[in-house]
Amino acid sequence: MDYAFFQAYWWFLVSLLGALLVFLFFVQGGQTLLYTIGKTEQERTMLVNSLGRKWDLTFTTLVTFGGAAFASFPLFYATSFGGAYWPWMLLLVCFVLQAVSYEWRTKAGNVFGHKTFEAFLLINGFGGLILFGIAVGTFFTGSNFTVNKDDLTQLAMPVISTWHTPWHGLEAVLNVRNLLLGFSIFFLARVLGSLYFINNIADDMIVKRSRKQVLRDAIAFLVMFLPFLVWTLFSQGFAVQPDTGAVFLEKGKYFFNFIQMPLVGLFFLVGVVSLLYGIFLGAFSKTSTKGIWFAGIGAVLSVLTLLLNIGYNNTSFYPSIYDLQSSLTIFNSSSSFFTLKVMSVVSLLIPFVLGYIIYVWRVMDKKQIDKAEMDEESVKY
Amino acid sequence: MGTLDLSIIDWSRAQFAVTALYHWLSVPLTLSLGFIMAVMETLYYRTGNEEWKRMTKFWMHLFAANFVLGIAGGIILEFQFGTNWSNYSWLVGDIFGAPLAIEGIMAFFLESTFFVVMIFGWNKTSKGFHLVSTWLTWFGATLSALWILVANAWMQYPTGTFFNIDTVRNEMTSFSAVLFSPVAMSKFFHTVTSSWIVGAAFVIGVSSWYLLKKRNIEFSHKSILIASVFGLAGILLTIFTGDSSAYQVAQKQPMKLAAMEGLYHGKNGTSLIAFGVLNPEKKVYNDSIPPFLFKMTIPDGLSWLAYHHLHAFVPGVQDLLDGSYLLTMANGEQIKPLTTDEKLTFGRMSHQAMIDYRLAKKDKNDSLMSVNRAIFDATSPYFGYGYVTSKAQLVPNVPLTFYAFHFMVIFGGFFLLFFVLLLYLRRKIQNMKWLLWVGIFSIPLAYLTSFSGWIVAEVGRQPWAIQDLLPTFAAVSNVPVSSIKTTLTIFVLIYTIFFIAIIGVMTREIRKGPESIK
């Protein structure tokens, strides 16, 4: 197993974390539906408590995604976070607001009232999802940065990664394709949120409204995602010359990546079909509560394979449109062979971690949330 | 290329300090209260006594309100390395990133998964599984502290690494050297055990308030007993680990030790300052103004603390910057450390070697490359000195470090006496109003003592982001100052709202008392 193997392995792990994160965004999607699906205080209490038992899983996945990106691709971490300062910072602010909201919302001594913390949950839902999608959109569309390691010994300006717009990342909002992805993630998360409610809450009205909502948001998702997908697959992609490492633009690069990596392409299709089947179950089945699992697995597979597409097969996963040769690949931005190997040993714990998360999820969700539980339970959000 | 706006460094540091301090409002209580309530739940598990369950649940409510505050602060700290310290992230991400990723995989998921069981699982899981979940939540938090402190210790004492001139960054060569570095071990145990004091003070403070109000008497006595035993264990271990921490600082960061003690001129058999008032007139390290207006000392104390040898020479700020000296180690061996002038020369040589190497690489000049690589490898442990333009930059803020250190030590002593007294008096404290008030005030005092420790550790190591390798000046991101000021304002605003909210939530929960627990 050589250096390239471990670089590919860590790109797989970071992509997997990103994909799981998008699935777990059902929490944020659900938050944006608090007032759409929850029409009474009691219904909203059920929704909040249902999401409240999962929010920190999403949060932890985001933090681990950041930590894994830092550890395995530090040049990406340094360049993107230090350069696209504003979208990342605003995203973090959205998550900071979420962290305390569930726990403090209905506490007796909460001097700001429960509406304040519900507003925080809405900000986290809307802002967090759209900003995340826009930020990830730049992985496909490119950003304005340069990396020059010679600058390290320039005493007056030793910073090696430089961002070349005064907006420090906010300019990504002006790119239509980034916006399409931003809203795709937003509507996908709402679809997943509704499907999760159908699975997790035993309440006829909530389930009925959720099923309706699945369809609405699914249509909006497809309207946003399909143009993004077609545009991305067939427009110019950021290809890498394997011998020299030089980056160049190649038409249809991402489409050919799926063809040249048939397994990745196949799993992408399986993901999309699974996602659509999950949506179908949620929107049209009268009894099935399993839509979240099909849609969830579909979302994970689709996102995972899209991220593998831009990381593998001589592709730049974080391109610079300001200076193509500063673009980042899994080879020029990764940690050392030694560090990747050490962390790979630790990564063997991941199945164990997934195992206890799934076990706890099953134990805690054995019984669906209902009105009676909300009335009886002393500990609730 | 342009010129870096120097105020970027100050504002980036301010943002890091503010967010770190807010984060630290929550962490020590999580590390300690988690243990206390796990002990209480264990007693419930073993005896079946519902009173222990009620106590566990009461403290658990307060734990949960505090725990989420820590999560809110933690996420900013992690991503801030990228947003505001991008050069740092590239230059040492190969070493520093690994503990962070491992922290996520090993500790955060453990904490967050079992936290949910602990809070909501009372009626959904078995008694045994719930108890295990409470212990795992505490264990996850402590494990998280281990990894982040390993990362922090590496910044204070970079080990198990080399500077790769080809990739232009530091790379890990030994994971075990990073994980088991003596500084990491001292730091971990000192930080975790000193956090126990905060939780003990919190439980004692709340219980003291009940006793003053003559309510929940039995609950309070039991809580104070458990907290005092835990607090006493904490302070004893803190003193022990503090001693080894000071020893490590003396060996690895002598400038920090000099600042902690306001020591400008060392000698054989240096006294330890028990209490002192610094002379505010002293502005420059090599002026002739005496550093103290007043001081009480313990003869030879600092020599013993620093080198475990009564007559050892402890260098002061001026010795470190302008002189050369001999160190006598505990085994009698004498060593002559590099002078600052030598380190500055090596720093500049390493910079020049890197420039020449990269030029030679472009020209494909192998012999010039190997010459410069050899120079670089020999001098790169002092790479950071290449950025230093005056020796005065190498002196941390002495008054802040000095007072923070002495505040920490003096109130550490107070807590030792306090816990012993509580254990000696036991139920008699019920009628000692003054002591109960001391109990209440011990809560903020414990936090301030804990903060002081961090100020010593972090202010005392300035100007280094990574000791000898990277000053904060060369570690930042090139982000406009206005942006940093804006994000700092946003964070201060949010955290102030959170601070008001948590005070409200906690005081109401305490007023309602354990009797409100179903």
Side-chain angles (χ1 to χ4, degrees):
Chain A
M1 287 187 281
D2 61 0
Y3 194 12
F5 168 82
F6 284 101
Q7 287 164 322
Y9 175 65
W10 273 92
W11 180 252
F12 174 81
L13 287 185
V14 170
S15 301
L16 182 63
L17 280 167
L20 288 170
L21 181 62
V22 171
F23 162 55
L24 292 167
F25 274 157
F26 71 76
V27 172
Q28 275 66 25
Q31 284 167 197
T32 66
L33 294 167
L34 279 185
Y35 287 87
T36 315
I37 292 177
K39 296 293 182 196
T40 63
E41 274 305 317
Q42 193 182 36
E43 285 173 353
R44 278 195 285 277
T45 300
M46 280 194 274
L47 298 179
V48 168
N49 275 275
S50 171
L51 297 172
R53 289 164 203 191
K54 301 291 181 297
W55 75 267
D56 59 350
L57 208 51
T58 313
F59 203 97
T60 305
T61 307
L62 174 64
V63 172
T64 307
F65 174 69
F70 188 7
S72 49
F73 300 100
L75 191 55
F76 157 71
Y77 186 83
T79 305
S80 179
F81 285 86
Y85 186 81
W86 274 111
W88 290 121
M89 271 297 187
L90 291 174
L91 180 79
L92 293 179
V93 168
C94 292
F95 277 85
V96 169
L97 292 179
Q98 185 207 28
V100 296
S101 294
Y102 283 100
E103 179 62 34
W104 294 354
R105 190 180 74 103
T106 54
K107 282 277 182 290
N110 163 18
V111 290
F112 297 104
H114 69 103
K115 292 269 182 208
T116 306
F117 291 99
E118 278 163 27
F120 287 171
L121 291 180
L122 290 180
I123 293 172
N124 172 250
F126 284 94
L129 292 170
I130 295 170
L131 281 166
F132 181 84
I134 289 173
V136 174
T138 62
F139 287 43
F140 298 87
T141 58
S143 303
N144 295 277
F145 65 86
T146 50
V147 176
N148 185 0
K149 292 178 186 171
D150 289 336
D151 283 349
L152 189 68
T153 43
Q154 302 288 346
L155 296 193
M157 174 56 88
V159 182
I160 64 164
S161 293
T162 310
W163 205 260
H164 290 276
T165 75
W167 301 102
H168 273 270
L170 285 181
E171 69 280 354
V173 174
L174 298 177
N175 183 303
V176 177
R177 203 143 44 110
N178 293 343
L179 282 176
L180 285 173
L181 188 62
F183 282 95
S184 300
I185 298 281
F186 173 71
F187 286 114
L188 175 62
R190 279 162 69 96
V191 167
L192 295 170
S194 299
L195 291 171
Y196 171 74
F197 290 144
I198 294 168
N199 180 270
N200 201 249
I201 300 175
D203 182 276
D204 291 344
M205 284 314 290
I206 287 180
V207 171
K208 198 174 150 199
R209 285 189 211 120
S210 298
R211 288 198 190 279
K212 257 192 205 160
Q213 200 59 40
V214 169
L215 188 62
R216 281 187 206 145
D217 286 323
I219 292 168
F221 164 68
L222 291 173
V223 168
M224 293 291 157
F225 185 65
L226 289 177
F228 169 83
L229 185 67
V230 173
W231 193 346
T232 299
L233 289 181
F234 298 104
S235 63
Q236 289 189 316
F238 297 86
V240 183
Q241 186 64 251
D243 307 329
T244 61
V247 178
F248 62 98
L249 290 170
E250 184 184 325
K251 205 162 169 54
K253 171 67 181 164
Y254 302 121
F255 175 74
F256 290 120
N257 275 355
F258 274 144
I259 303 294
Q260 287 157 8
M261 298 185 289
L263 214 55
V264 177
L266 180 70
F267 275 108
F268 177 73
L269 289 177
V270 171
V272 171
V273 171
S274 178
L275 175 60
L276 292 175
Y277 182 63
I279 291 171
F280 173 80
L281 280 184
F284 300 111
S285 164
K286 294 253 185 293
T287 52
S288 175
T289 57
K290 308 276 182 245
I292 181 70
W293 303 124
F294 287 100
I297 290 168
V300 170
L301 284 178
S302 313
V303 176
L304 173 65
T305 47
L306 272 176
L307 290 175
L308 294 182
N309 183 319
I310 58 170
Y312 293 168
N313 201 35
N314 301 311
T315 316
S316 161
F317 74 87
Y318 198 66
S320 170
I321 44 176
Y322 185 88
D323 168 35
L324 272 184
Q325 301 321 315
S326 286
S327 299
L328 303 182
T329 68
I330 62 170
F331 303 116
N332 69 14
S333 67
S334 83
S335 277
S336 67
F337 193 11
F338 181 81
T339 295
L340 292 182
K341 270 195 293 190
V342 168
M343 293 198 307
S344 298
V345 175
V346 177
S347 77
L348 298 177
L349 284 174
I350 290 176
F352 172 71
V353 173
L354 284 173
Y356 71 68
I357 290 173
I358 292 168
Y359 177 73
V360 165
W361 187 313
R362 287 171 64 99
V363 168
M364 295 297 289
D365 286 10
K366 223 182 295 170
K367 186 178 159 298
Q368 288 178 305
I369 284 184
D370 56 22
K371 284 189 182 119
E373 185 187 336
M374 291 298 101
D375 293 338
E376 285 162 18
E377 188 61 69
S378 64
V379 187
K380 65 169 182 285
Y381 285 141
Chain B
M1 207 192 75
T3 304
L4 193 68
D5 182 346
L6 291 180
S7 58
I8 289 176
I9 300 135
D10 292 335
W11 284 103
S12 299
R13 283 183 61 203
Q15 181 164 291
F16 203 93
V18 166
T19 48
L21 284 180
Y22 270 110
H23 186 51
W24 201 249
L25 274 175
S26 163
V27 176
L29 196 56
T30 299
L31 293 174
S32 48
L33 200 52
F35 186 87
I36 291 174
M37 65 197 198
V39 168
M40 288 176 176
E41 192 176 340
T42 308
L43 290 169
Y44 162 63
Y45 180 79
R46 295 185 67 115
T47 62
N49 183 345
E50 286 293 318
E51 192 53 32
W52 285 119
K53 184 180 181 185
R54 188 192 291 271
M55 287 175 79
T56 309
K57 277 184 136 183
F58 173 73
W59 293 114
M60 208 170 263
H61 278 204
L62 297 177
F63 175 91
N66 166 71
F67 183 73
V68 294
L69 186 67
I71 299 179
I75 191 170
I76 295 297
L77 285 183
E78 190 208 19
F79 284 95
Q80 215 175 164
F81 290 113
T83 53
N84 293 79
W85 303 95
S86 74
N87 241 25
Y88 168 94
S89 295
W90 165 246
L91 223 63
V92 298
D94 196 63
I95 307 106
F96 192 85
L100 254 66
I102 297 170
E103 185 185 16
I105 294 168
M106 274 191 183
F108 288 156
F109 280 111
L110 201 62
E111 273 181 275
S112 58
T113 305
F114 290 98
F115 172 76
V116 173
V117 182
M118 186 179 87
I119 300 297
F120 297 107
W122 286 103
N123 301 325
K124 292 179 188 288
T125 60
S126 70
K127 240 167 119 177
F129 188 74
H130 191 276
L131 177 66
V132 169
S133 301
T134 305
W135 277 109
L136 284 177
T137 305
W138 168 78
F139 179 71
T142 305
L143 197 58
S144 149
L146 170 71
W147 290 111
I148 196 64
L149 291 168
V150 163
N152 179 277
W154 185 83
M155 297 163 80
Q156 317 265 353
Y157 173 54
T159 180
T161 174
F162 87 111
F163 203 138
N164 186 335
I165 195 169
D166 287 305
T167 52
V168 193
R169 67 170 172 198
N170 291 276
E171 295 183 1
M172 204 190 312
T173 52
S174 166
F175 183 64
S176 59
V178 174
L179 176 57
F180 298 114
S181 111
V183 176
M185 289 298 107
S186 295
K187 191 166 264 299
F188 170 67
F189 286 109
H190 190 58
T191 310
V192 169
T193 55
S194 64
S195 295
W196 293 357
I197 299 164
V198 174
F202 181 79
V203 170
I204 290 167
V206 172
S207 305
S208 297
W209 185 77
Y210 286 141
L211 289 179
L212 271 174
K213 293 278 169 196
K214 301 199 186 312
R215 55 180 276 203
N216 309 100
I217 306 289
E218 228 13 67
F219 165 90
S220 301
H221 280 306
K222 278 183 179 163
S223 293
I224 289 177
L225 178 64
I226 289 178
S228 303
V229 171
F230 182 58
L232 183 63
I235 185 68
L236 288 173
L237 288 167
T238 301
I239 292 169
F240 179 71
T241 52
D243 177 66
S244 63
S245 291
Y247 182 76
Q248 297 300 338
V249 169
Q251 315 300 315
K252 320 291 197 259
Q253 297 170 300
M255 180 62 85
K256 185 194 277 186
L257 186 77
M260 281 157 64
E261 278 293 285
L263 180 70
Y264 286 84
H265 292 283
K267 57 174 186 171
N268 290 320
T270 308
S271 309
L272 185 71
I273 310 285
F275 179 75
V277 178
L278 291 172
N279 186 350
E281 296 303 316
K282 186 158 184 75
K283 304 281 186 211
V284 186
Y285 78 90
N286 53 1
D287 60 22
S288 56
I289 297 169
F292 284 94
L293 292 176
F294 166 78
K295 61 180 176 182
M296 283 163 58
T297 60
I298 302 168
D300 300 333
L302 190 59
S303 291
W304 177 258
L305 193 70
Y307 296 101
H308 293 174
H309 175 25
L310 284 177
H311 301 295
F313 179 83
V314 182
V317 175
Q318 203 164 347
D319 305 305
L320 289 163
L321 293 181
D322 293 337
S324 73
Y325 54 92
L326 281 176
L327 285 180
T328 308
M329 310 311 286
N331 59 6
E333 185 195 349
Q334 287 202 316
I335 54 169
K336 184 176 176 300
L338 286 179
T339 64
T340 298
D341 285 314
E342 287 166 331
K343 289 178 187 173
L344 288 168
T345 305
F346 287 162
R348 285 174 200 134
M349 283 171 73
S350 66
H351 276 234
Q352 195 56 49
M354 178 178 271
I355 294 167
D356 293 341
Y357 176 86
R358 290 179 70 79
L359 285 174
K361 200 173 178 183
K362 275 178 195 148
D363 296 341
K364 298 192 170 67
N365 184 335
D366 289 345
S367 59
L368 209 52
M369 276 171 70
S370 62
V371 169
N372 282 295
R373 179 192 284 274
I375 296 170
F376 185 80
D377 288 346
T379 54
S380 62
Y382 303 96
F383 186 82
Y385 285 88
Y387 294 104
V388 176
T389 49
S390 96
K391 285 184 188 175
Q393 292 172 342
L394 295 168
V395 185
N397 184 326
V398 173
L400 189 54
T401 314
F402 173 85
Y403 286 120
F405 175 62
H406 287 83
F407 186 92
M408 177 185 81
V409 172
I410 289 168
F411 285 98
F414 158 79
F415 276 107
L416 176 63
L417 294 176
F418 181 58
F419 295 132
V420 169
L421 192 64
L422 290 178
L423 285 171
Y424 174 71
L425 292 170
R426 298 288 289 271
R427 283 179 177 266
K428 286 182 204 147
I429 59 167
Q430 197 172 327
N431 300 318
M432 302 171 78
K433 269 193 171 181
W434 67 272
L435 189 58
L436 296 175
W437 277 109
V438 172
I440 293 171
F441 282 106
S442 74
I443 300 176
L445 210 51
Y447 276 104
L448 290 175
T449 311
S450 188
F451 284 153
S452 307
W454 275 113
I455 290 171
V456 174
E458 299 304 301
V459 175
R461 71 170 152 120
Q462 296 302 320
W464 301 112
I466 311 289
Q467 184 72 35
D468 294 347
L469 285 175
L470 187 70
T472 50
F473 167 74
V476 289
S477 307
N478 187 12
V479 179
V481 175
S482 58
S483 295
I484 307 172
K485 282 182 185 170
T486 311
T487 49
L488 176 58
T489 310
I490 293 171
F491 291 136
V492 168
L493 205 68
I494 291 175
Y495 287 139
T496 306
I497 291 172
F498 284 4
F499 188 68
I500 295 168
I502 196 171
I503 296 291
V505 168
M506 286 231 180
T507 47
R508 180 58 76 90
E509 290 287 323
I510 293 166
R511 271 177 206 283
K512 274 167 43 189
E515 60 268 37
S516 67
I517 305 289
K518 281 190 223 166

